[in-house]
Amino acid sequence: MDCTVRPYLPTDETAWLRCRALAFLDTAYFDDVKRVRPAIAAPGFALVAVGPDGAVIGVIDVEVEHGAATVETVAVHPDHRSRGVGGALLEEALDRLAALGATTLDAWTRDDPDTLRWYRSNGFAEGDHYLHVYADYYTDAAEPDRAIGGRRPGLRPVKALLHAAMAEEAAMREQFARVHVCRRFVRSVKG
Ligand SMILES: CC(C)(COP(=O)(O)OP(=O)(O)OC[C@H]1O[C@@H](n2cnc3c(N)ncnc32)[C@H](O)[C@@H]1OP(=O)(O)O)[C@@H](O)C(=O)NCCC(=O)NCCS
């Protein structure tokens, strides 16, 4: 792994946004594109991994509240995956969390098999699950009506993201083309 992990700097914002968008493009988060980086309040922190030429090839943002930490974003540029960049970001984040006295680190993710494998092989265990259901007029013109009961006159729903319980999974998959299982992974900071 030929990268250096350092704190995020405001001048990294464009590189951060591009890295995240490209990393998500072939995942279940492909349309979760941000144009401005959400701020992380202290004691939370943000790190970037840079290659030998200084280019940002991976990012991790971690929120910390009352000793519990959450990965807000972890993304490695697709040209640099599976070379330990994500692992290096996580390792540095865990060191910083231990120094802050945080005890747990969790993350929410959808159903990409490679990502699930990465969390599991990095000591995370799967806990809570629920569904992310997309109702999209352009996939099936009836989906928004199936998802939304009463309509406001003059407004036609075109796209909606809805949450549902796992018990609804079979019914949701029958009625909607895009359904994700959203899962919480959690590990202890000390490993
Ligand atoms: C998940 C992710 C952060 C892992 O970072 P990484 O630098 O690729 O992972 P590492 O090199 O530390 O670890 C490699 C392992 O991760 C797993 N992995 C996860 N996603 C992978 C991918 N898209 N391609 C290849 N391996 C992947 C593999 O199990 C791999 O093990 P292997 O080398 O034995 O095959 C990165 O692949 C990524 O950005 N994925 C897309 C964005 C995403 O899903 N982010 C999390 C959303 S919550």
Side-chain angles (χ1 to χ4, degrees):
M1 188 262 314
D2 204 4
C3 77
T4 305
V5 175
R6 63 159 172 82
Y8 169 88
L9 300 170
T11 48
D12 294 322
E13 184 173 17
T14 301
W16 187 98
L17 293 167
R18 287 180 180 168
C19 181
R20 181 183 177 281
L22 284 175
F24 283 8
L25 201 54
D26 63 351
T27 76
Y29 288 99
F30 65 92
D31 51 355
D32 178 5
V33 176
K34 295 197 190 306
R35 300 181 67 193
V36 175
R37 180 178 166 275
I40 298 288
F45 55 84
L47 304 170
V48 297
V50 296
D53 60 354
V56 171
I57 56 175
V59 303
I60 190 167
D61 281 15
V62 182
E63 292 275 14
V64 185
E65 212 172 319
H66 308 302
T70 296
V71 176
E72 288 298 325
T73 298
V74 59
V76 171
H77 188 290
D79 294 348
H80 300 275
R81 277 181 188 158
S82 222
R83 295 181 193 162
V85 176
L89 285 162
L90 179 64
E91 197 178 306
E92 178 64 24
L94 288 166
D95 284 350
R96 285 172 185 251
L97 288 170
L100 287 169
T103 52
T104 59
L105 176 62
D106 73 2
W108 287 89
T109 194
R110 288 181 178 167
D111 26 32
D112 297 296
D114 288 333
T115 304
L116 301 183
R117 197 148 55 92
W118 184 77
Y119 277 114
R120 288 182 189 125
S121 67
N122 279 291
F124 287 83
E126 213 168 317
D128 305 335
H129 299 78
Y130 68 102
L131 300 173
H132 284 176
V133 179
Y134 282 86
D136 190 340
Y137 179 88
Y138 294 105
T139 300
D140 173 348
E143 280 197 354
D145 282 328
R146 275 189 214 122
I148 298 164
R151 271 199 201 177
R152 180 168 158 177
L155 280 183
R156 178 164 63 94
V158 172
K159 197 169 202 167
L161 167 59
L162 307 109
H163 290 180
M166 286 305 295
E168 298 293 317
E169 185 173 12
M172 292 298 136
R173 290 196 187 278
E174 212 169 283
Q175 294 175 57
F176 300 97
R178 186 175 170 199
V179 176
H180 299 291
V181 176
C182 185
R183 357 165 159 233
R184 177 175 181 254
F185 277 92
V186 65
R187 59 160 283 164
S188 128
V189 165
K190 291 209 168 109

